[in-house]
Amino acid sequence: MNPKEKALELFPDIFIGDEKEEVRNPYSGNSTMLEPEAVAVYDLIKGAEVLGIWKIVQQGCDWFKQYYPKEYFVLLD
């Protein structure tokens, strides 16, 4: 299963755009380019953090570690 398919399986209601985006870690200032599905999952993780929905945060982080480990360490570790 590719990253996009897995993201949609885990989070069927997320919106996945069409273009890559540069995303910046708000704490370190480091940034990285993300594929559209990674942007969608990152946004979901950050929103779930604000709302305290830790199950979604953990599922999203696990997805990132599996499919985008380098980007995970730049943005979420």
Side-chain angles (χ1 to χ4, degrees):
M1 186 172 297
N2 71 40
K4 184 175 182 178
E5 290 171 345
K6 185 63 177 178
L8 288 169
E9 178 185 300
L10 286 171
F11 313 111
D13 295 330
I14 63 171
F15 170 77
I16 298 176
D18 297 324
E19 296 185 24
K20 291 183 178 183
E21 290 184 35
E22 182 176 13
V23 177
R24 184 169 309 280
N25 180 315
Y27 306 107
S28 71
N30 296 327
S31 65
T32 187
M33 290 299 291
L34 293 180
E35 295 294 331
E37 64 273 7
V39 173
V41 174
Y42 177 79
D43 289 345
L44 181 68
I45 291 168
K46 299 310 276 183
E49 282 179 341
V50 170
L51 298 172
I53 306 171
W54 304 114
K55 181 179 179 180
I56 290 176
V57 171
Q58 189 60 54
Q59 287 176 322
C61 287
D62 290 346
W63 178 91
F64 248 94
K65 288 178 197 175
Q66 180 177 356
Y67 293 105
Y68 295 97
K70 292 177 186 175
E71 293 83 350
Y72 170 83
F73 284 108
V74 171
L75 297 173
L76 296 163
D77 186 46

